[in-house]
Amino acid sequence: MSPEKKRNKKQNRTIMRTAILLLLIAAIGYTIYNSVTAGDVEVLKVGDQAPDFTLTDLSGETHKLSEYEGQGVFLNFWGTWCEPCIREMPAMSNQYDVYEEQGVQILAVNIAQSNFEVETFARQYGLDFPIVIDRDKSVMTAYNIRPLPTTMLVNPEGKIERIVTGEMTEEDIAGYMEEIKPE
C-alpha cells in the first residue's frame, strides 16, 4: 500500500472517530438536559388541587375545569389511535348517561389530533359527552400525562381523588364515577 493511501485511510479513520465522539457527547448532553429539566414538571398526586385549564370542544364551546366545581369530573386523556382508549369509550358513554344527572361530568381530553379525526371517532362510537382537544399539549404537560389512556378523577372540591392509568372496564368506570359523585 502506498504511503498516500495509508495517510488517507488514517485520516478517514480519524474523521470517523471524531464524528462518533461528537455524537456520543451530544447524546450525553441531551440525556443530562432531559434529566435536569424533567424536574420542572411537578408530578400531581391524590389530594392535589387539579390544575385549571380552558379547552374548546368540537362545537366550539369552551370548557373550564373550575366551572365544574361542585360536580365530579371524570377527566380522561386519550387518542383515537390508542386501542385501550377505543375499547373504554363506549363504556364511558354508557356510564355518562347514568351519572350525568347525578352530578358527574366527563371531559375527554384528546391529545393534539385534528377536529376531523376526533369528530369522526365521536360519531363512529356515538359519544355524547364533551370532547376537548389539547392542541398544544399544555394540559397534558400540566397533568404530567404519560401513558394513554390516563384518567384523573376530580372530586366536587376540585381535588384529585384518584389517578387511573391504563384501560378501564365498564364496572371500573361506574365505581370511579360513584367515588366522585357529589353527596
Side-chain angles (χ1 to χ4, degrees):
M1 190 181 291
S2 72
E4 189 176 316
K5 280 189 176 183
K6 282 184 184 179
R7 191 171 41 252
N8 283 344
K9 194 172 185 181
K10 189 174 182 179
Q11 190 176 20
N12 286 343
R13 210 174 322 142
T14 303
I15 291 170
M16 186 61 73
R17 287 179 181 162
T18 304
I20 290 171
L21 181 63
L22 289 173
L23 280 172
L24 283 172
I25 290 170
I28 291 169
Y30 178 76
T31 303
I32 291 170
Y33 171 78
N34 270 349
S35 63
V36 168
T37 59
D40 292 350
V41 176
E42 191 173 316
V43 177
L44 294 172
K45 54 192 175 308
V46 171
D48 286 351
Q49 188 70 31
D52 199 14
F53 61 86
T54 303
L55 291 174
T56 305
D57 69 17
L58 300 174
S59 306
E61 281 185 51
T62 58
H63 294 264
K64 186 172 184 169
L65 183 63
S66 58
E67 291 175 354
Y68 289 96
E69 194 168 325
Q71 301 177 69
V73 179
F74 192 90
L75 189 58
N76 180 263
F77 293 85
W78 67 287
T80 62
W81 46 265
C82 162
E83 289 296 324
C85 302
I86 294 168
R87 289 190 295 269
E88 70 185 13
M89 282 290 172
M92 285 170 49
S93 186
N94 292 341
Q95 293 307 310
Y96 179 66
D97 293 341
V98 172
Y99 282 93
E100 179 187 19
E101 293 298 316
Q102 299 178 49
V104 177
Q105 296 296 318
I106 289 180
L107 262 183
V109 181
N110 175 271
I111 306 301
Q113 290 187 268
S114 72
N115 274 28
F116 177 77
E117 289 172 297
V118 177
E119 286 169 354
T120 302
F121 183 91
R123 216 174 15 261
Q124 179 181 352
Y125 291 96
L127 305 178
D128 58 349
F129 48 79
I131 298 173
V132 294
I133 301 175
D134 184 12
R135 298 197 187 288
D136 62 1
K137 299 183 181 180
S138 61
V139 177
M140 181 180 132
T141 301
Y143 279 80
N144 202 29
I145 302 299
R146 289 290 174 249
L148 293 181
T150 293
T151 301
M152 297 280 186
L153 302 177
V154 181
N155 67 26
E157 292 77 43
K159 296 196 183 298
I160 297 172
E161 190 77 26
R162 182 187 294 263
I163 301 169
V164 182
T165 55
E167 184 177 351
M168 299 172 287
T169 65
E170 189 153 351
E171 294 76 27
D172 294 336
I173 293 166
Y176 296 146
M177 288 188 168
E178 195 65 38
E179 281 181 31
I180 57 173
K181 182 172 78 171
E183 304 269 327

